[in-house]
mmCIF file of all heavy atoms in Angstrom:
data_model
loop_
_atom_site.group_PDB
_atom_site.id
_atom_site.type_symbol
_atom_site.label_atom_id
_atom_site.label_comp_id
_atom_site.label_asym_id
_atom_site.label_seq_id
_atom_site.Cartn_x
_atom_site.Cartn_y
_atom_site.Cartn_z
ATOM 1 N N ILE A 46 -15.276 18.592 9.613
ATOM 2 C CA ILE A 46 -16.529 18.830 8.974
ATOM 3 C C ILE A 46 -17.678 18.533 9.928
ATOM 4 O O ILE A 46 -18.698 19.230 10.156
ATOM 5 C CB ILE A 46 -16.670 18.208 7.660
ATOM 6 C CG1 ILE A 46 -15.746 18.781 6.696
ATOM 7 C CG2 ILE A 46 -18.091 18.279 7.150
ATOM 8 C CD1 ILE A 46 -15.570 18.061 5.376
ATOM 9 N N GLY A 47 -17.496 17.416 10.530
ATOM 10 C CA GLY A 47 -18.571 16.863 11.479
ATOM 11 C C GLY A 47 -18.700 17.861 12.710
ATOM 12 O O GLY A 47 -19.769 18.199 13.095
ATOM 13 N N ALA A 48 -17.562 18.330 13.169
ATOM 14 C CA ALA A 48 -17.521 19.264 14.248
ATOM 15 C C ALA A 48 -18.162 20.588 13.818
ATOM 16 O O ALA A 48 -18.989 21.246 14.603
ATOM 17 C CB ALA A 48 -16.139 19.506 14.796
ATOM 18 N N GLY A 49 -17.906 21.010 12.620
ATOM 19 C CA GLY A 49 -18.477 22.238 12.134
ATOM 20 C C GLY A 49 -19.926 22.147 11.973
ATOM 21 O O GLY A 49 -20.773 23.072 12.345
ATOM 22 N N ALA A 50 -20.438 21.033 11.503
ATOM 23 C CA ALA A 50 -21.874 20.744 11.326
ATOM 24 C C ALA A 50 -22.573 20.775 12.653
ATOM 25 O O ALA A 50 -23.667 21.301 12.815
ATOM 26 C CB ALA A 50 -22.086 19.555 10.622
ATOM 27 N N ALA A 51 -21.836 20.133 13.650
ATOM 28 C CA ALA A 51 -22.421 20.169 14.996
ATOM 29 C C ALA A 51 -22.506 21.546 15.576
ATOM 30 O O ALA A 51 -23.484 21.940 16.267
ATOM 31 C CB ALA A 51 -21.502 19.330 15.828
ATOM 32 N N LEU A 52 -21.560 22.409 15.271
ATOM 33 C CA LEU A 52 -21.730 23.728 15.747
ATOM 34 C C LEU A 52 -22.866 24.556 15.150
ATOM 35 O O LEU A 52 -23.511 25.294 15.799
ATOM 36 C CB LEU A 52 -20.363 24.616 15.391
ATOM 37 C CG LEU A 52 -19.058 24.207 16.225
ATOM 38 C CD1 LEU A 52 -17.910 24.910 15.564
ATOM 39 C CD2 LEU A 52 -19.291 24.588 17.639
ATOM 40 N N ILE A 53 -23.157 24.241 13.866
ATOM 41 C CA ILE A 53 -24.221 24.958 13.216
ATOM 42 C C ILE A 53 -25.581 24.496 13.736
ATOM 43 O O ILE A 53 -26.441 25.269 13.989
ATOM 44 C CB ILE A 53 -24.098 24.699 11.671
ATOM 45 C CG1 ILE A 53 -22.880 25.301 11.144
ATOM 46 C CG2 ILE A 53 -25.466 25.195 10.899
ATOM 47 C CD1 ILE A 53 -22.552 24.961 9.681
ATOM 48 N N VAL A 54 -25.723 23.242 13.921
ATOM 49 C CA VAL A 54 -27.045 22.791 14.325
ATOM 50 C C VAL A 54 -27.209 22.582 15.806
ATOM 51 O O VAL A 54 -28.223 22.169 16.361
ATOM 52 C CB VAL A 54 -27.422 21.439 13.600
ATOM 53 C CG1 VAL A 54 -27.422 21.642 12.175
ATOM 54 C CG2 VAL A 54 -26.404 20.369 13.968
ATOM 55 N N ALA A 55 -26.157 22.851 16.624
ATOM 56 C CA ALA A 55 -26.210 22.585 18.056
ATOM 57 C C ALA A 55 -27.079 23.632 18.772
ATOM 58 O O ALA A 55 -27.219 24.834 18.455
ATOM 59 C CB ALA A 55 -24.793 22.771 18.618
ATOM 60 N N THR A 56 -27.694 23.104 19.882
ATOM 61 C CA THR A 56 -28.567 23.927 20.704
ATOM 62 C C THR A 56 -27.734 24.255 21.935
ATOM 63 O O THR A 56 -28.492 24.801 22.878
ATOM 64 C CB THR A 56 -29.917 23.200 21.059
ATOM 65 O OG1 THR A 56 -29.613 22.018 21.698
ATOM 66 C CG2 THR A 56 -30.678 23.003 19.712
ATOM 67 N N GLN A 57 -26.561 23.805 22.031
ATOM 68 C CA GLN A 57 -25.782 24.032 23.275
ATOM 69 C C GLN A 57 -25.270 25.481 23.308
ATOM 70 O O GLN A 57 -25.176 26.233 22.333
ATOM 71 C CB GLN A 57 -24.586 23.066 23.340
ATOM 72 C CG GLN A 57 -24.911 21.725 23.395
ATOM 73 C CD GLN A 57 -23.665 20.826 23.401
ATOM 74 O OE1 GLN A 57 -22.664 21.244 22.811
ATOM 75 N NE2 GLN A 57 -23.727 19.649 23.941
ATOM 76 N N LYS A 58 -24.842 25.925 24.504
ATOM 77 C CA LYS A 58 -24.211 27.246 24.713
ATOM 78 C C LYS A 58 -22.898 27.210 24.107
ATOM 79 O O LYS A 58 -22.201 26.186 23.835
ATOM 80 C CB LYS A 58 -24.120 27.542 26.163
ATOM 81 C CG LYS A 58 -25.383 27.769 26.787
ATOM 82 C CD LYS A 58 -25.148 28.166 28.355
ATOM 83 C CE LYS A 58 -26.493 28.353 29.029
ATOM 84 N NZ LYS A 58 -26.326 28.516 30.417
ATOM 85 N N GLY A 59 -22.341 28.373 23.723
ATOM 86 C CA GLY A 59 -21.053 28.514 22.979
ATOM 87 C C GLY A 59 -19.909 27.890 23.779
ATOM 88 O O GLY A 59 -19.002 27.272 23.215
ATOM 89 N N GLU A 60 -19.874 28.069 25.037
ATOM 90 C CA GLU A 60 -18.792 27.560 25.858
ATOM 91 C C GLU A 60 -18.781 26.029 25.853
ATOM 92 O O GLU A 60 -17.829 25.427 25.848
ATOM 93 C CB GLU A 60 -18.824 28.057 27.245
ATOM 94 C CG GLU A 60 -17.533 27.707 28.057
ATOM 95 C CD GLU A 60 -17.395 28.520 29.337
ATOM 96 O OE1 GLU A 60 -17.851 29.720 29.381
ATOM 97 O OE2 GLU A 60 -16.965 27.858 30.347
ATOM 98 N N GLU A 61 -20.035 25.421 25.966
ATOM 99 C CA GLU A 61 -20.158 23.979 25.912
ATOM 100 C C GLU A 61 -19.652 23.434 24.553
ATOM 101 O O GLU A 61 -18.977 22.328 24.546
ATOM 102 C CB GLU A 61 -21.626 23.621 26.197
ATOM 103 C CG GLU A 61 -22.113 23.810 27.545
ATOM 104 C CD GLU A 61 -23.596 23.614 27.786
ATOM 105 O OE1 GLU A 61 -24.210 23.045 26.823
ATOM 106 O OE2 GLU A 61 -24.073 23.881 28.780
ATOM 107 N N ILE A 62 -20.076 24.118 23.564
ATOM 108 C CA ILE A 62 -19.612 23.726 22.162
ATOM 109 C C ILE A 62 -18.123 23.771 22.047
ATOM 110 O O ILE A 62 -17.460 22.851 21.550
ATOM 111 C CB ILE A 62 -20.317 24.541 21.102
ATOM 112 C CG1 ILE A 62 -21.886 24.245 21.075
ATOM 113 C CG2 ILE A 62 -19.723 24.315 19.694
ATOM 114 C CD1 ILE A 62 -22.597 25.269 20.147
ATOM 115 N N ARG A 63 -17.548 24.804 22.573
ATOM 116 C CA ARG A 63 -16.031 25.000 22.490
ATOM 117 C C ARG A 63 -15.359 23.657 23.257
ATOM 118 O O ARG A 63 -14.368 23.215 22.732
ATOM 119 C CB ARG A 63 -15.582 26.325 23.011
ATOM 120 C CG ARG A 63 -15.723 27.462 22.037
ATOM 121 C CD ARG A 63 -14.996 28.730 22.581
ATOM 122 N NE ARG A 63 -15.606 29.172 23.823
ATOM 123 C CZ ARG A 63 -16.599 30.097 23.939
ATOM 124 N NH1 ARG A 63 -17.206 30.439 22.756
ATOM 125 N NH2 ARG A 63 -17.098 30.398 25.003
ATOM 126 N N HIS A 64 -15.905 23.456 24.426
ATOM 127 C CA HIS A 64 -15.374 22.341 25.185
ATOM 128 C C HIS A 64 -15.469 21.009 24.382
ATOM 129 O O HIS A 64 -14.565 20.201 24.288
ATOM 130 C CB HIS A 64 -15.929 22.204 26.579
ATOM 131 C CG HIS A 64 -15.555 23.263 27.428
ATOM 132 N ND1 HIS A 64 -14.205 23.381 27.882
ATOM 133 C CD2 HIS A 64 -16.214 24.245 28.203
ATOM 134 C CE1 HIS A 64 -14.075 24.403 28.730
ATOM 135 N NE2 HIS A 64 -15.354 24.970 28.894
ATOM 136 N N THR A 65 -16.659 20.848 23.740
ATOM 137 C CA THR A 65 -16.876 19.582 22.986
ATOM 138 C C THR A 65 -15.947 19.534 21.854
ATOM 139 O O THR A 65 -15.304 18.505 21.508
ATOM 140 C CB THR A 65 -18.327 19.618 22.415
ATOM 141 O OG1 THR A 65 -19.254 19.691 23.586
ATOM 142 C CG2 THR A 65 -18.662 18.274 21.706
ATOM 143 N N VAL A 66 -15.724 20.697 21.130
ATOM 144 C CA VAL A 66 -14.868 20.678 19.936
ATOM 145 C C VAL A 66 -13.453 20.416 20.455
ATOM 146 O O VAL A 66 -12.701 19.677 19.782
ATOM 147 C CB VAL A 66 -14.974 22.010 19.194
ATOM 148 C CG1 VAL A 66 -13.951 22.109 18.150
ATOM 149 C CG2 VAL A 66 -16.303 22.070 18.519
ATOM 150 N N LEU A 67 -13.004 21.251 21.467
ATOM 151 C CA LEU A 67 -11.642 20.983 22.024
ATOM 152 C C LEU A 67 -11.457 19.501 22.355
ATOM 153 O O LEU A 67 -10.301 18.914 22.186
ATOM 154 C CB LEU A 67 -11.359 21.959 23.142
ATOM 155 C CG LEU A 67 -11.294 23.384 22.726
ATOM 156 C CD1 LEU A 67 -11.101 24.307 23.982
ATOM 157 C CD2 LEU A 67 -10.160 23.567 21.853
ATOM 158 N N ASP A 68 -12.470 18.909 23.078
ATOM 159 C CA ASP A 68 -12.301 17.483 23.480
ATOM 160 C C ASP A 68 -12.078 16.582 22.238
ATOM 161 O O ASP A 68 -11.309 15.699 22.207
ATOM 162 C CB ASP A 68 -13.527 17.067 24.239
ATOM 163 C CG ASP A 68 -13.539 17.671 25.673
ATOM 164 O OD1 ASP A 68 -12.513 18.182 26.075
ATOM 165 O OD2 ASP A 68 -14.659 17.557 26.216
ATOM 166 N N ALA A 69 -12.931 16.908 21.106
ATOM 167 C CA ALA A 69 -12.764 16.060 19.878
ATOM 168 C C ALA A 69 -11.432 16.279 19.310
ATOM 169 O O ALA A 69 -10.763 15.296 18.819
ATOM 170 C CB ALA A 69 -13.902 16.425 18.917
ATOM 171 N N VAL A 70 -10.937 17.483 19.278
ATOM 172 C CA VAL A 70 -9.552 17.732 18.683
ATOM 173 C C VAL A 70 -8.471 17.106 19.521
ATOM 174 O O VAL A 70 -7.561 16.484 18.955
ATOM 175 C CB VAL A 70 -9.284 19.260 18.500
ATOM 176 C CG1 VAL A 70 -7.790 19.491 18.313
ATOM 177 C CG2 VAL A 70 -10.255 19.947 17.582
ATOM 178 N N GLU A 71 -8.677 17.107 20.857
ATOM 179 C CA GLU A 71 -7.604 16.419 21.661
ATOM 180 C C GLU A 71 -7.605 14.899 21.472
ATOM 181 O O GLU A 71 -6.625 14.340 21.415
ATOM 182 C CB GLU A 71 -7.924 16.717 23.193
ATOM 183 C CG GLU A 71 -6.857 16.250 24.081
ATOM 184 C CD GLU A 71 -5.469 16.794 23.846
ATOM 185 O OE1 GLU A 71 -5.257 17.872 23.269
ATOM 186 O OE2 GLU A 71 -4.552 16.033 24.163
ATOM 187 N N ALA A 72 -8.843 14.384 21.251
ATOM 188 C CA ALA A 72 -8.979 12.897 21.040
ATOM 189 C C ALA A 72 -8.277 12.622 19.741
ATOM 190 O O ALA A 72 -7.595 11.545 19.648
ATOM 191 C CB ALA A 72 -10.452 12.489 21.074
#
Side-chain angles (χ1 to χ4, degrees):
I46 291 169
L52 286 173
I53 292 171
V54 298
T56 57
Q57 296 177 335
K58 293 180 181 177
E60 190 167 324
E61 291 175 6
I62 293 173
R63 279 193 295 277
H64 285 296
T65 302
V66 170
L67 289 175
D68 289 345
V70 168
E71 184 61 29

